[in-house]
Amino acid sequence: MAIFSVYVVNKAGGLIYQYDNYVPRAEVEKTFSFPLDLVLKIHDEKVVVSFGQRDGIRVGHAVLSINGVDVNGKYTAEGKEILEYLKDPANYPVSIRFGRPRLSSNEKLMLASMFHSLFAIGSQLSPEVGSSGIEMLETDVFKLHCFQTLTGIKFIVLADPRQSGIDALLRKIYEIYSDFALKNPFYSLEMPIRCELFDQNLKSALEIAEKAGTFGPGS
Amino acid sequence: MTVHNLYIFDRNGSCLHYSEWNRKKQAGISKEEEFKLMYGMLFSIRSFVSKMSPLDMKDGFLAFQTSRYKLHYYETPTGIKLVMNTDLGVPNCRDTLQQIYSMLYVEYIVKNPQCVLSESLQSDLFSSKLDSFIRALPFFSVRAA
């Protein structure tokens, strides 16, 4: 699996489509005794590790479940605050599952509009004349590719750094968007895309792109 | 291939150093505002990238490119940020930025007791060494404009 997700952003910076391709998530479950050898804090209504990495638990990982029961934000399934619950030695030993926090749909909306403005600033701070916005953003674990159409719609694909053929994929998604979203009489412009044919065709385009171009096995 | 400009920021967001070589377009705002805008963009990219990433990251944000230029980014664990804009043909510049930090910033700024850290750098020695270092890079060549 080498294509992680697809975002479509309208010209005002609103997220109108998002699809997460399957990503294997590293989740770790461990049994702890009192006191906990990790420092936890509340961040964005989630309990995350702020210090102390061990056994695959990393800084930034969130508490996903306690004793096998999924937590609800910063509260346990019974409605107690997680940090208070973990302060009580009577609750130990306790088994906690950690993993990267999942993006909520609100966070995805926020990230999409954040990228919209980063795109514009990237073009404004250009040392060369006539520059577009950010077309490709590179980190050590993924590459973000962005294609802006003449009408201002942005297609964003997150993929493995080694994945090739993304430019063709972006144009293919544009084609699918024109064929199955724009020609759908029930689709209103600039609004979230809820078309079954668009979904289906996008998924098959992603499958084809993944088969076509990765370097090296296992990616 | 060419190098456009270079920014050095400290961890509080003040611009310690700025120099430019082949810059064709100015941002159209004052330099102070440009530094703030650049730092704000980098800060947002860092947070954007850490949320967006499907896996745990080690180095984080490395570079981005537009249709006309490429921005290379390197951050030390102490929060010093080096940003270099080049044209698109330049490959990964992480080593170069690391050398600027270790061979120039540490040598001529950190080891100079008269340089106040976290203020705009005044050292002429540093500026001239940096200028000759950048001009000696294999991908630095002024194209006949």
Side-chain angles (χ1 to χ4, degrees):
Chain A
M1 285 292 170
I3 293 172
F4 299 129
S5 43
V6 178
Y7 291 72
V8 182
V9 179
N10 70 17
K11 62 184 171 207
L15 184 65
I16 55 172
Y17 186 82
Q18 201 276 336
Y19 173 68
D20 276 327
N21 223 350
Y22 169 72
V23 179
R25 285 181 186 276
E27 293 186 350
V28 191
E29 180 143 20
K30 265 198 78 69
T31 306
F32 295 90
S33 53
F34 189 81
L36 217 55
D37 46 5
L38 304 161
V39 183
L40 301 177
K41 65 169 181 194
I42 291 181
H43 179 73
D44 279 348
E45 299 292 301
K46 286 184 203 105
V47 180
V48 300
V49 179
S50 76
F51 181 80
Q53 303 196 129
R54 55 172 290 197
D55 308 326
I57 301 167
R58 306 278 304 267
V59 167
H61 280 190
V63 174
L64 299 179
S65 73
I66 292 179
N67 293 329
V69 186
D70 281 354
V71 301
N72 176 20
K74 57 177 180 172
Y75 300 101
T76 61
E78 293 98 60
K80 282 185 232 149
E81 285 214 33
I82 293 172
L83 290 184
E84 295 299 321
Y85 180 84
L86 292 176
K87 266 183 202 156
D88 185 359
N91 293 323
Y92 286 78
V94 66
S95 151
I96 311 177
R97 189 158 55 88
F98 290 94
R100 278 191 67 82
R102 275 155 232 186
L103 289 175
S104 66
S105 31
N106 267 335
E107 281 175 312
K108 283 173 184 163
L109 285 173
M110 191 196 77
L111 289 171
S113 53
M114 200 164 155
F115 184 77
H116 184 77
S117 46
L118 289 175
F119 187 90
I121 300 173
S123 144
Q124 196 195 346
L125 287 176
S126 164
E128 283 268 11
V129 280
S131 172
S132 71
I134 299 175
E135 287 185 338
M136 199 258 286
L137 190 149
E138 195 178 346
T139 73
D140 55 339
V141 296
F142 73 91
K143 266 190 190 175
L144 179 151
H145 301 259
C146 174
F147 168 58
Q148 189 181 34
T149 69
L150 289 174
T151 49
I153 310 272
K154 286 189 204 50
F155 297 96
I156 300 167
V157 167
L158 257 71
D160 189 282
R162 291 166 299 175
Q163 174 80 35
S164 67
I166 299 283
D167 281 344
L169 173 67
L170 285 167
R171 273 149 191 82
K172 180 74 188 163
I173 297 175
Y174 184 27
E175 194 184 311
I176 294 170
Y177 168 77
S178 335
D179 280 347
F180 298 102
L182 295 186
K183 290 181 190 169
N184 183 333
F186 300 106
Y187 174 67
S188 49
L189 216 57
E190 309 287 306
M191 294 304 279
I193 303 171
R194 298 195 201 291
C195 307
E196 212 170 289
L197 278 175
F198 179 78
D199 279 347
Q200 286 167 7
N201 283 280
L202 183 77
K203 277 171 202 165
S204 57
L206 290 183
E207 268 170 34
I208 292 166
E210 281 189 332
K211 273 183 205 137
T214 39
F215 303 116
S219 53
Chain B
M1 294 217 261
T2 182
V3 175
H4 298 303
N5 51 7
L6 180 108
Y7 303 79
I8 302 177
F9 293 99
D10 76 352
R11 63 172 174 182
N12 300 316
S14 49
C15 186
L16 300 180
H17 180 83
Y18 172 73
S19 43
E20 66 182 44
W21 289 275
N22 302 305
R23 183 168 179 173
K24 305 233 173 53
K25 172 182 168 278
Q26 298 296 331
I29 47 180
S30 73
K31 274 281 171 292
E32 280 74 45
E33 290 193 1
E34 184 190 319
F35 298 154
K36 281 186 201 162
L37 188 60
M38 175 60 92
Y39 186 80
M41 177 178 73
L42 296 171
F43 191 84
S44 310
I45 288 183
R46 269 162 38 90
S47 130
F48 174 78
V49 156
S50 70
K51 287 209 181 109
M52 203 75 161
S53 170
L55 307 162
D56 293 310
M57 290 190 295
K58 215 164 84 235
D59 299 328
F61 170 53
L62 300 175
F64 75 67
Q65 68 179 55
T66 72
S67 62
R68 302 302 302 271
Y69 78 105
K70 187 166 179 182
L71 178 144
H72 305 262
Y73 177 78
Y74 171 68
E75 181 176 346
T76 69
T78 50
I80 302 286
K81 296 167 180 69
L82 293 104
V83 181
M84 184 163 77
N85 290 324
T86 67
D87 70 328
L88 296 175
V90 176
N92 195 340
C93 280
R94 207 173 162 73
D95 295 344
T96 311
L97 292 174
Q98 199 156 17
Q99 279 171 0
I100 293 174
Y101 175 70
S102 66
M103 287 161 46
L104 301 170
Y105 181 80
V106 171
E107 289 297 321
Y108 300 112
I109 301 297
V110 179
K111 292 189 182 175
N112 180 349
Q114 291 194 315
C115 281
V116 187
L117 295 178
S118 83
E119 268 179 33
S120 171
L121 308 178
Q122 303 293 338
S123 164
D124 289 339
L125 182 62
F126 175 75
S127 307
S128 65
K129 290 279 181 190
L130 178 67
D131 189 62
S132 51
F133 179 84
I134 295 284
R135 283 178 197 280
L137 289 174
F139 45 80
F140 184 91
S141 63
V142 188
R143 284 171 300 182

